[in-house]
Amino acid sequence: MTETFYNQKDRIRSAFDKAASSYDAAAALQREVVERLFDRLAVINLAPKVILDAGSGTGHARSFLRQRFSDAQYIELDLALNMLKASQAKTSTLKQWLSVFDKNKANSICADIEQIPLADESVDLIWSSLTLQWCNTPDAAFKEFNRILKPGGVIIFATLGPDTLKELRSAFVGIDGHQHVNQFIDMHDLGDALVKHGLTMPVMDMEYITMTYAKVKDVMQDLKHIGASNKMDGRPNGLLGKAAWLKIQAQYEAFRRDGVLPCTYEVVYGHAFKPTQKNNARSDGSQIINFRPRTPSE
């Protein structure tokens, strides 16, 4: 019998709340992905009036987006309140005071991307970097994205694919029969989900980014500091014993090359548009085709 695992949002929120103060120091991958995602956004011609950073974390994307779209209203949304506070803390007291007079000041919302408290068709651009992987499926988030996007609006995102943390997953094989590493959604399933929920012209690509570490302990510490440890149902609640950890370290050591240990991330990028007019698609993805019966004279 195959076990089924589901991300627990309360655990995810708690982990990121606890990691907020240590996040930036350990978030090298997250910063790199923001910059690479921004390069992909640069080739899309748009002038949004309202931008939603869906899963904004400590606000690394804000400077990129606000510099390019200086006239747009910018909204940060994150599941963890302490992440939003960490982002706000990067703004000086003077700038916070002056923001009272700024009609385009950044606003913060503590909420889940699967239940976004914004009005229908109120956002022009949705940016989401390394957040969708915390959803069990992308469906609820993409449905919400389609709902709040204005016709012609754009969703651009980066998330993690199935090969992410493959070395760590292998290191846990045979330890206790439990799943210790999060599962991630395949790129093709993400593309299918975009179309299913009414978004058009999806463009998907992926790449591998490998971080390197001196010790297995360093890998685990980085994951803890960014709040990315396993938050799935089905994981054991107790601590692993010393013998188990020694076996995990030994199995991870098999991946050591040139004196360092690799930690692989499969990064999936995608963007899609909300149609400017309603199409004839049903909720199940099938199409309604209108036709006119031929008259006898035709």
PDB file of all heavy atoms in Angstrom, residues 31-59:
ATOM      1  N   ARG A  31      17.275  33.833  -3.498  1.00  0.00           N
ATOM      2  CA  ARG A  31      17.679  35.094  -4.137  1.00  0.00           C
ATOM      3  C   ARG A  31      18.057  34.869  -5.596  1.00  0.00           C
ATOM      4  O   ARG A  31      17.712  35.664  -6.474  1.00  0.00           O
ATOM      5  CB  ARG A  31      18.843  35.717  -3.372  1.00  0.00           C
ATOM      6  CG  ARG A  31      18.462  36.222  -1.989  1.00  0.00           C
ATOM      7  CD  ARG A  31      19.584  37.067  -1.396  1.00  0.00           C
ATOM      8  NE  ARG A  31      20.782  36.285  -1.122  1.00  0.00           N
ATOM      9  CZ  ARG A  31      21.013  35.621   0.003  1.00  0.00           C
ATOM     10  NH1 ARG A  31      20.104  35.621   0.968  1.00  0.00           N
ATOM     11  NH2 ARG A  31      22.134  34.945   0.170  1.00  0.00           N
ATOM     12  N   GLU A  32      18.771  33.785  -5.854  1.00  0.00           N
ATOM     13  CA  GLU A  32      19.176  33.476  -7.225  1.00  0.00           C
ATOM     14  C   GLU A  32      17.964  33.236  -8.126  1.00  0.00           C
ATOM     15  O   GLU A  32      17.917  33.710  -9.270  1.00  0.00           O
ATOM     16  CB  GLU A  32      20.087  32.248  -7.233  1.00  0.00           C
ATOM     17  CG  GLU A  32      20.607  31.841  -8.603  1.00  0.00           C
ATOM     18  CD  GLU A  32      21.548  32.855  -9.219  1.00  0.00           C
ATOM     19  OE1 GLU A  32      22.175  33.625  -8.468  1.00  0.00           O
ATOM     20  OE2 GLU A  32      21.642  32.881 -10.464  1.00  0.00           O
ATOM     21  N   VAL A  33      16.973  32.501  -7.620  1.00  0.00           N
ATOM     22  CA  VAL A  33      15.786  32.199  -8.416  1.00  0.00           C
ATOM     23  C   VAL A  33      14.985  33.470  -8.695  1.00  0.00           C
ATOM     24  O   VAL A  33      14.464  33.652  -9.806  1.00  0.00           O
ATOM     25  CB  VAL A  33      14.917  31.133  -7.717  1.00  0.00           C
ATOM     26  CG1 VAL A  33      13.567  30.982  -8.419  1.00  0.00           C
ATOM     27  CG2 VAL A  33      15.655  29.797  -7.695  1.00  0.00           C
ATOM     28  N   VAL A  34      14.882  34.371  -7.729  1.00  0.00           N
ATOM     29  CA  VAL A  34      14.196  35.647  -7.959  1.00  0.00           C
ATOM     30  C   VAL A  34      14.842  36.389  -9.130  1.00  0.00           C
ATOM     31  O   VAL A  34      14.149  36.904 -10.019  1.00  0.00           O
ATOM     32  CB  VAL A  34      14.214  36.523  -6.689  1.00  0.00           C
ATOM     33  CG1 VAL A  34      13.911  37.981  -7.023  1.00  0.00           C
ATOM     34  CG2 VAL A  34      13.196  36.010  -5.682  1.00  0.00           C
ATOM     35  N   GLU A  35      16.151  36.438  -9.157  1.00  0.00           N
ATOM     36  CA  GLU A  35      16.845  37.158 -10.225  1.00  0.00           C
ATOM     37  C   GLU A  35      16.638  36.473 -11.582  1.00  0.00           C
ATOM     38  O   GLU A  35      16.443  37.149 -12.599  1.00  0.00           O
ATOM     39  CB  GLU A  35      18.327  37.273  -9.877  1.00  0.00           C
ATOM     40  CG  GLU A  35      18.567  38.157  -8.659  1.00  0.00           C
ATOM     41  CD  GLU A  35      20.023  38.195  -8.230  1.00  0.00           C
ATOM     42  OE1 GLU A  35      20.900  37.858  -9.066  1.00  0.00           O
ATOM     43  OE2 GLU A  35      20.288  38.562  -7.074  1.00  0.00           O
ATOM     44  N   ARG A  36      16.666  35.145 -11.598  1.00  0.00           N
ATOM     45  CA  ARG A  36      16.464  34.437 -12.866  1.00  0.00           C
ATOM     46  C   ARG A  36      15.011  34.557 -13.339  1.00  0.00           C
ATOM     47  O   ARG A  36      14.756  34.631 -14.545  1.00  0.00           O
ATOM     48  CB  ARG A  36      16.865  32.968 -12.710  1.00  0.00           C
ATOM     49  CG  ARG A  36      18.345  32.790 -12.402  1.00  0.00           C
ATOM     50  CD  ARG A  36      18.779  31.336 -12.417  1.00  0.00           C
ATOM     51  NE  ARG A  36      20.168  31.194 -11.981  1.00  0.00           N
ATOM     52  CZ  ARG A  36      20.920  30.132 -12.202  1.00  0.00           C
ATOM     53  NH1 ARG A  36      20.425  29.092 -12.863  1.00  0.00           N
ATOM     54  NH2 ARG A  36      22.170  30.082 -11.766  1.00  0.00           N
ATOM     55  N   LEU A  37      14.076  34.572 -12.404  1.00  0.00           N
ATOM     56  CA  LEU A  37      12.676  34.750 -12.777  1.00  0.00           C
ATOM     57  C   LEU A  37      12.444  36.164 -13.300  1.00  0.00           C
ATOM     58  O   LEU A  37      11.687  36.362 -14.256  1.00  0.00           O
ATOM     59  CB  LEU A  37      11.779  34.475 -11.564  1.00  0.00           C
ATOM     60  CG  LEU A  37      10.260  34.491 -11.808  1.00  0.00           C
ATOM     61  CD1 LEU A  37       9.865  33.420 -12.826  1.00  0.00           C
ATOM     62  CD2 LEU A  37       9.510  34.271 -10.499  1.00  0.00           C
ATOM     63  N   PHE A  38      13.112  37.128 -12.705  1.00  0.00           N
ATOM     64  CA  PHE A  38      12.974  38.512 -13.169  1.00  0.00           C
ATOM     65  C   PHE A  38      13.512  38.662 -14.587  1.00  0.00           C
ATOM     66  O   PHE A  38      12.950  39.409 -15.402  1.00  0.00           O
ATOM     67  CB  PHE A  38      13.699  39.469 -12.225  1.00  0.00           C
ATOM     68  CG  PHE A  38      13.430  40.917 -12.510  1.00  0.00           C
ATOM     69  CD1 PHE A  38      12.212  41.495 -12.168  1.00  0.00           C
ATOM     70  CD2 PHE A  38      14.386  41.708 -13.135  1.00  0.00           C
ATOM     71  CE1 PHE A  38      11.950  42.833 -12.448  1.00  0.00           C
ATOM     72  CE2 PHE A  38      14.144  43.037 -13.415  1.00  0.00           C
ATOM     73  CZ  PHE A  38      12.924  43.610 -13.068  1.00  0.00           C
ATOM     74  N   ASP A  39      14.587  37.954 -14.916  1.00  0.00           N
ATOM     75  CA  ASP A  39      15.101  37.973 -16.296  1.00  0.00           C
ATOM     76  C   ASP A  39      14.042  37.462 -17.268  1.00  0.00           C
ATOM     77  O   ASP A  39      13.911  37.980 -18.390  1.00  0.00           O
ATOM     78  CB  ASP A  39      16.354  37.102 -16.404  1.00  0.00           C
ATOM     79  CG  ASP A  39      17.565  37.731 -15.730  1.00  0.00           C
ATOM     80  OD1 ASP A  39      17.549  38.952 -15.477  1.00  0.00           O
ATOM     81  OD2 ASP A  39      18.527  36.986 -15.439  1.00  0.00           O
ATOM     82  N   ARG A  40      13.272  36.454 -16.875  1.00  0.00           N
ATOM     83  CA  ARG A  40      12.220  35.926 -17.734  1.00  0.00           C
ATOM     84  C   ARG A  40      11.058  36.919 -17.856  1.00  0.00           C
ATOM     85  O   ARG A  40      10.433  37.025 -18.911  1.00  0.00           O
ATOM     86  CB  ARG A  40      11.724  34.584 -17.184  1.00  0.00           C
ATOM     87  CG  ARG A  40      12.716  33.448 -17.409  1.00  0.00           C
ATOM     88  CD  ARG A  40      12.425  32.228 -16.549  1.00  0.00           C
ATOM     89  NE  ARG A  40      13.190  31.061 -16.963  1.00  0.00           N
ATOM     90  CZ  ARG A  40      14.463  30.852 -16.657  1.00  0.00           C
ATOM     91  NH1 ARG A  40      15.119  31.735 -15.932  1.00  0.00           N
ATOM     92  NH2 ARG A  40      15.093  29.754 -17.078  1.00  0.00           N
ATOM     93  N   LEU A  41      10.785  37.639 -16.791  1.00  0.00           N
ATOM     94  CA  LEU A  41       9.730  38.650 -16.839  1.00  0.00           C
ATOM     95  C   LEU A  41      10.103  39.809 -17.770  1.00  0.00           C
ATOM     96  O   LEU A  41       9.231  40.413 -18.402  1.00  0.00           O
ATOM     97  CB  LEU A  41       9.465  39.188 -15.427  1.00  0.00           C
ATOM     98  CG  LEU A  41       8.404  40.277 -15.282  1.00  0.00           C
ATOM     99  CD1 LEU A  41       7.028  39.763 -15.700  1.00  0.00           C
ATOM    100  CD2 LEU A  41       8.359  40.802 -13.851  1.00  0.00           C
ATOM    101  N   ALA A  42      11.394  40.083 -17.871  1.00  0.00           N
ATOM    102  CA  ALA A  42      11.854  41.230 -18.657  1.00  0.00           C
ATOM    103  C   ALA A  42      11.471  41.139 -20.124  1.00  0.00           C
ATOM    104  O   ALA A  42      11.357  42.171 -20.806  1.00  0.00           O
ATOM    105  CB  ALA A  42      13.370  41.372 -18.519  1.00  0.00           C
ATOM    106  N   VAL A  43      11.253  39.933 -20.648  1.00  0.00           N
ATOM    107  CA  VAL A  43      10.928  39.782 -22.067  1.00  0.00           C
ATOM    108  C   VAL A  43       9.428  39.877 -22.327  1.00  0.00           C
ATOM    109  O   VAL A  43       8.988  39.817 -23.472  1.00  0.00           O
ATOM    110  CB  VAL A  43      11.463  38.443 -22.623  1.00  0.00           C
ATOM    111  CG1 VAL A  43      12.963  38.351 -22.422  1.00  0.00           C
ATOM    112  CG2 VAL A  43      10.764  37.259 -21.964  1.00  0.00           C
ATOM    113  N   ILE A  44       8.624  40.025 -21.260  1.00  0.00           N
ATOM    114  CA  ILE A  44       7.173  40.135 -21.416  1.00  0.00           C
ATOM    115  C   ILE A  44       6.792  41.614 -21.398  1.00  0.00           C
ATOM    116  O   ILE A  44       7.149  42.339 -20.470  1.00  0.00           O
ATOM    117  CB  ILE A  44       6.428  39.384 -20.291  1.00  0.00           C
ATOM    118  CG1 ILE A  44       6.854  37.910 -20.273  1.00  0.00           C
ATOM    119  CG2 ILE A  44       4.920  39.495 -20.481  1.00  0.00           C
ATOM    120  CD1 ILE A  44       6.294  37.135 -19.099  1.00  0.00           C
ATOM    121  N   ASN A  45       6.075  42.045 -22.409  1.00  0.00           N
ATOM    122  CA  ASN A  45       5.686  43.449 -22.520  1.00  0.00           C
ATOM    123  C   ASN A  45       4.404  43.696 -21.732  1.00  0.00           C
ATOM    124  O   ASN A  45       3.341  43.220 -22.112  1.00  0.00           O
ATOM    125  CB  ASN A  45       5.478  43.820 -23.998  1.00  0.00           C
ATOM    126  CG  ASN A  45       5.159  45.285 -24.187  1.00  0.00           C
ATOM    127  OD1 ASN A  45       5.519  46.117 -23.350  1.00  0.00           O
ATOM    128  ND2 ASN A  45       4.493  45.613 -25.278  1.00  0.00           N
ATOM    129  N   LEU A  46       4.513  44.409 -20.627  1.00  0.00           N
ATOM    130  CA  LEU A  46       3.332  44.710 -19.824  1.00  0.00           C
ATOM    131  C   LEU A  46       3.591  45.948 -18.974  1.00  0.00           C
ATOM    132  O   LEU A  46       4.738  46.310 -18.701  1.00  0.00           O
ATOM    133  CB  LEU A  46       2.937  43.533 -18.941  1.00  0.00           C
ATOM    134  CG  LEU A  46       3.796  43.194 -17.723  1.00  0.00           C
ATOM    135  CD1 LEU A  46       3.019  42.265 -16.788  1.00  0.00           C
ATOM    136  CD2 LEU A  46       5.088  42.493 -18.131  1.00  0.00           C
ATOM    137  N   ALA A  47       2.500  46.602 -18.592  1.00  0.00           N
ATOM    138  CA  ALA A  47       2.571  47.789 -17.741  1.00  0.00           C
ATOM    139  C   ALA A  47       1.491  47.669 -16.672  1.00  0.00           C
ATOM    140  O   ALA A  47       0.443  48.311 -16.738  1.00  0.00           O
ATOM    141  CB  ALA A  47       2.380  49.052 -18.571  1.00  0.00           C
ATOM    142  N   PRO A  48       1.717  46.828 -15.672  1.00  0.00           N
ATOM    143  CA  PRO A  48       0.682  46.564 -14.668  1.00  0.00           C
ATOM    144  C   PRO A  48       0.415  47.759 -13.760  1.00  0.00           C
ATOM    145  O   PRO A  48       1.317  48.519 -13.419  1.00  0.00           O
ATOM    146  CB  PRO A  48       1.277  45.393 -13.875  1.00  0.00           C
ATOM    147  CG  PRO A  48       2.758  45.590 -14.003  1.00  0.00           C
ATOM    148  CD  PRO A  48       2.969  46.111 -15.400  1.00  0.00           C
ATOM    149  N   LYS A  49      -0.843  47.883 -13.353  1.00  0.00           N
ATOM    150  CA  LYS A  49      -1.219  48.900 -12.370  1.00  0.00           C
ATOM    151  C   LYS A  49      -1.212  48.316 -10.959  1.00  0.00           C
ATOM    152  O   LYS A  49      -0.991  49.046  -9.990  1.00  0.00           O
ATOM    153  CB  LYS A  49      -2.599  49.465 -12.705  1.00  0.00           C
ATOM    154  CG  LYS A  49      -2.647  50.241 -14.021  1.00  0.00           C
ATOM    155  CD  LYS A  49      -4.047  50.789 -14.275  1.00  0.00           C
ATOM    156  CE  LYS A  49      -4.100  51.578 -15.583  1.00  0.00           C
ATOM    157  NZ  LYS A  49      -5.467  52.089 -15.859  1.00  0.00           N
ATOM    158  N   VAL A  50      -1.469  46.997 -10.864  1.00  0.00           N
ATOM    159  CA  VAL A  50      -1.487  46.323  -9.570  1.00  0.00           C
ATOM    160  C   VAL A  50      -0.691  45.029  -9.688  1.00  0.00           C
ATOM    161  O   VAL A  50      -0.952  44.220 -10.575  1.00  0.00           O
ATOM    162  CB  VAL A  50      -2.928  46.011  -9.100  1.00  0.00           C
ATOM    163  CG1 VAL A  50      -2.891  45.323  -7.734  1.00  0.00           C
ATOM    164  CG2 VAL A  50      -3.768  47.279  -9.032  1.00  0.00           C
ATOM    165  N   ILE A  51       0.284  44.851  -8.784  1.00  0.00           N
ATOM    166  CA  ILE A  51       1.132  43.654  -8.761  1.00  0.00           C
ATOM    167  C   ILE A  51       0.917  42.925  -7.444  1.00  0.00           C
ATOM    168  O   ILE A  51       0.932  43.532  -6.375  1.00  0.00           O
ATOM    169  CB  ILE A  51       2.620  44.022  -8.880  1.00  0.00           C
ATOM    170  CG1 ILE A  51       2.891  44.779 -10.181  1.00  0.00           C
ATOM    171  CG2 ILE A  51       3.493  42.764  -8.803  1.00  0.00           C
ATOM    172  CD1 ILE A  51       4.291  45.387 -10.237  1.00  0.00           C
ATOM    173  N   LEU A  52       0.732  41.612  -7.522  1.00  0.00           N
ATOM    174  CA  LEU A  52       0.669  40.775  -6.323  1.00  0.00           C
ATOM    175  C   LEU A  52       1.898  39.890  -6.285  1.00  0.00           C
ATOM    176  O   LEU A  52       2.145  39.127  -7.214  1.00  0.00           O
ATOM    177  CB  LEU A  52      -0.594  39.904  -6.321  1.00  0.00           C
ATOM    178  CG  LEU A  52      -0.680  38.896  -5.160  1.00  0.00           C
ATOM    179  CD1 LEU A  52      -0.821  39.608  -3.822  1.00  0.00           C
ATOM    180  CD2 LEU A  52      -1.830  37.915  -5.374  1.00  0.00           C
ATOM    181  N   ASP A  53       2.680  39.998  -5.214  1.00  0.00           N
ATOM    182  CA  ASP A  53       3.790  39.080  -4.960  1.00  0.00           C
ATOM    183  C   ASP A  53       3.234  37.976  -4.076  1.00  0.00           C
ATOM    184  O   ASP A  53       3.106  38.128  -2.856  1.00  0.00           O
ATOM    185  CB  ASP A  53       4.931  39.828  -4.268  1.00  0.00           C
ATOM    186  CG  ASP A  53       6.186  38.973  -4.108  1.00  0.00           C
ATOM    187  OD1 ASP A  53       6.095  37.743  -4.292  1.00  0.00           O
ATOM    188  OD2 ASP A  53       7.251  39.536  -3.788  1.00  0.00           O
ATOM    189  N   ALA A  54       2.883  36.859  -4.688  1.00  0.00           N
ATOM    190  CA  ALA A  54       2.188  35.770  -4.001  1.00  0.00           C
ATOM    191  C   ALA A  54       3.188  34.811  -3.372  1.00  0.00           C
ATOM    192  O   ALA A  54       3.771  33.961  -4.052  1.00  0.00           O
ATOM    193  CB  ALA A  54       1.280  35.026  -4.981  1.00  0.00           C
ATOM    194  N   GLY A  55       3.398  34.953  -2.070  1.00  0.00           N
ATOM    195  CA  GLY A  55       4.428  34.203  -1.363  1.00  0.00           C
ATOM    196  C   GLY A  55       5.690  35.035  -1.317  1.00  0.00           C
ATOM    197  O   GLY A  55       6.763  34.604  -1.734  1.00  0.00           O
ATOM    198  N   SER A  56       5.571  36.247  -0.785  1.00  0.00           N
ATOM    199  CA  SER A  56       6.627  37.255  -0.895  1.00  0.00           C
ATOM    200  C   SER A  56       7.807  37.022   0.033  1.00  0.00           C
ATOM    201  O   SER A  56       8.881  37.598  -0.160  1.00  0.00           O
ATOM    202  CB  SER A  56       6.043  38.637  -0.612  1.00  0.00           C
ATOM    203  OG  SER A  56       5.363  38.656   0.638  1.00  0.00           O
ATOM    204  N   GLY A  57       7.625  36.177   1.069  1.00  0.00           N
ATOM    205  CA  GLY A  57       8.731  35.928   1.983  1.00  0.00           C
ATOM    206  C   GLY A  57       9.215  37.203   2.641  1.00  0.00           C
ATOM    207  O   GLY A  57       8.432  38.040   3.086  1.00  0.00           O
ATOM    208  N   THR A  58      10.542  37.378   2.681  1.00  0.00           N
ATOM    209  CA  THR A  58      11.115  38.565   3.310  1.00  0.00           C
ATOM    210  C   THR A  58      11.275  39.728   2.328  1.00  0.00           C
ATOM    211  O   THR A  58      11.956  40.704   2.626  1.00  0.00           O
ATOM    212  CB  THR A  58      12.481  38.238   3.937  1.00  0.00           C
ATOM    213  OG1 THR A  58      13.357  37.735   2.927  1.00  0.00           O
ATOM    214  CG2 THR A  58      12.339  37.206   5.051  1.00  0.00           C
ATOM    215  N   GLY A  59      10.656  39.613   1.153  1.00  0.00           N
ATOM    216  CA  GLY A  59      10.570  40.757   0.245  1.00  0.00           C
ATOM    217  C   GLY A  59      11.726  40.965  -0.703  1.00  0.00           C
ATOM    218  O   GLY A  59      11.950  42.078  -1.175  1.00  0.00           O
TER     219      GLY A  59
END
